[in-house]
Amino acid sequence: MADNSPRTDTSTDLEADAKLDDGHHHGGATGVSTMSDHEATTKNGDSKTLRRLAQNREAARKSRLRKKAYVQQLESSRVKLNQIEQELQRARQQGLYMGGGGGGYGNDQNLHSGAVAFDMEYGRWVEEQHRQMCELRAALQAHVADNELRLLVDGGMAHYDDVFRLKAVAAKADVFHLVSGMWKTPAERCFMWMGGFRPSELLKILIPQIEPLTEQQLLGICNLQQSSQQAEDALSQGMEALQQSLADTVMGGLLVSSPNVANYMGQMAMAMGKLGTLESFVRQADNLRQQTLQQMHRILTTRQAARGLLAMGDYFARLRALSSLWSARPRD
């Protein structure tokens, strides 16, 4: 009866199938769990790599933006400098520029006209110098023949002679304007000495740009630098003595309880006479600058002189650019 019972067979088969299914379910869950851990680890590693790549791309993008912003700032500063120079030129032409310190300067129309005329001429001189420097740079890069390069060098030297002639006329019209350096940019004024550059300091800047030098050339430049320094010291001492003498003359009798008009006018006349010496000092300083350039030209070869002129032009151009960047700096 037991063997023939379908109920018993069915029950046994069902129990076996249930155990088998239960085993499959347990095994499947274990496999899934193992695969999930592996996939999670892989995904974590991939996400870190992707995050690093994204960070690198973002850093590179920001770096490009910073470089682009810097270039745009330089270009904006250059445009702004040109606009300021044009506005200043228009103001001077309209008679609005009164100098560095107040109404008294602008009351003398002759002095004012002389300063404006010099500023306009000097502006044109700077533009012409920029054009000459571009030609000189192109010639050096192209390695043109010495005879062709000599023409450009002679033109550059003659151009400096022109500015010394302009300054001589300006010194007669208004020596205070010339000495104040208001015709220069602020950064250039930091290095001014008696209405222009200091020759001995300029030689120090130029020497590395014109090397290699022969022993004879180096000796000649060292002697030139020493003689320039001695002449500068003598002129500086003379200027200091003039300033002290002028101050004493102006201050004479200032504390007298009842000043005498005749004495006052006499003191002003003496002070005016001393101011004539100021023009002489500025003229001597320009002569020293001109002679130093000419002697430097004689010492150097044509190609060295070309490099020296180019370096000098670039030096003053960079000072002007520095002034522009300083004016355009962000102010918090």
Side-chain angles (χ1 to χ4, degrees):
M1 293 178 62
D3 293 337
N4 293 329
S5 173
R7 182 179 177 183
T8 303
D9 293 338
T10 303
S11 175
T12 305
D13 292 339
L14 290 174
E15 290 175 0
D17 291 341
K19 290 180 180 179
L20 183 60
D21 290 341
D22 186 58
H24 283 310
H25 284 307
H26 284 293
T30 303
V32 170
S33 176
T34 303
M35 291 297 294
S36 298
D37 292 342
H38 177 69
E39 290 176 358
T41 302
T42 303
K43 288 181 178 179
N44 288 337
D46 292 342
S47 63
K48 289 181 180 179
T49 302
L50 292 175
R51 188 162 52 251
R52 282 197 300 271
L53 292 175
Q55 291 173 350
N56 292 339
R57 285 194 297 269
E58 181 65 16
R61 186 183 69 84
K62 290 181 178 179
S63 178
R64 289 193 298 271
L65 289 176
R66 284 195 298 270
K67 291 180 180 179
K68 184 179 179 180
Y70 179 70
V71 173
Q72 291 176 345
Q73 182 183 5
L74 289 178
E75 180 63 21
S76 175
S77 299
R78 185 186 66 81
V79 173
K80 185 176 180 180
L81 176 62
N82 291 335
Q83 292 174 348
I84 292 174
E85 289 178 347
Q86 292 173 3
E87 292 174 2
L88 180 59
Q89 201 67 261
R90 285 195 297 269
R92 285 168 173 165
Q93 292 172 357
Q94 296 170 5
L96 300 178
Y97 178 71
M98 306 300 289
Y105 176 85
N107 291 336
D108 191 327
Q109 188 62 34
N110 292 331
L111 294 180
H112 178 62
S113 301
V116 172
F118 172 73
D119 288 353
M120 294 177 63
E121 291 294 332
Y122 181 72
R124 286 192 282 267
W125 184 89
V126 171
E127 292 177 359
E128 174 61 20
Q129 186 194 36
H130 175 70
R131 186 193 66 78
Q132 289 187 357
M133 293 302 101
C134 291
E135 287 186 354
L136 198 57
R137 180 177 287 105
L140 285 171
Q141 291 175 349
H143 302 286
V144 299
D146 282 358
N147 56 350
E148 184 178 349
L149 192 61
R150 188 177 298 109
L151 294 176
L152 297 176
V153 170
D154 292 342
M157 293 296 297
H159 193 56
Y160 275 101
D161 291 339
D162 290 340
V163 79
F164 291 129
R165 282 193 291 269
L166 289 175
K167 291 176 69 179
V169 175
K172 291 181 178 297
D174 184 2
V175 69
F176 289 115
H177 180 69
L178 202 61
V179 173
S180 70
M182 294 305 295
W183 47 286
K184 290 277 193 178
T185 58
E188 289 178 289
R189 289 200 293 270
C190 288
F191 298 94
M192 282 192 68
W193 170 78
M194 296 181 66
F197 60 85
R198 189 182 287 269
S200 61
E201 294 297 326
L202 190 62
L203 289 176
K204 293 179 183 177
I205 296 172
L206 293 183
I207 288 176
Q209 309 301 323
I210 56 180
E211 291 178 338
L213 296 167
T214 65
E215 185 176 349
Q216 185 176 0
Q217 285 178 323
L218 190 58
L219 179 61
I221 292 176
C222 289
N223 290 335
L224 177 59
Q225 187 173 5
Q226 184 177 5
S227 61
S228 298
Q229 181 69 60
Q230 291 173 351
E232 291 168 16
D233 293 342
L235 287 173
S236 296
Q237 291 173 6
M239 178 67 83
E240 291 176 3
L242 172 63
Q243 290 173 338
Q244 185 61 51
S245 176
L246 185 61
D248 293 341
T249 302
V250 172
M251 292 292 291
L254 186 64
L255 300 179
V256 177
S257 58
S258 56
N260 187 289
V261 175
N263 290 339
Y264 172 80
M265 295 305 296
Q267 290 167 353
M268 290 299 103
M270 290 176 60
M272 289 291 293
K274 294 181 185 296
L275 286 180
T277 309
L278 177 61
E279 179 186 337
S280 174
F281 277 121
V282 173
R283 189 168 57 251
Q284 291 181 62
D286 271 346
N287 288 338
L288 176 61
R289 284 183 272 267
Q290 189 175 19
Q291 292 172 9
T292 302
L293 289 178
Q294 291 172 350
Q295 292 181 30
M296 190 77 171
H297 183 209
R298 286 192 288 268
I299 292 173
L300 300 177
T301 65
T302 299
R303 204 157 294 274
Q304 288 172 331
R307 294 206 310 267
L309 282 175
L310 185 59
M312 188 161 57
D314 285 344
Y315 172 69
F316 292 121
R318 291 186 180 192
L319 286 180
R320 291 192 290 269
L322 180 61
S323 294
S324 175
L325 292 174
W326 176 255
S327 299
R329 73 190 187 282
R331 295 173 175 85
D332 297 332

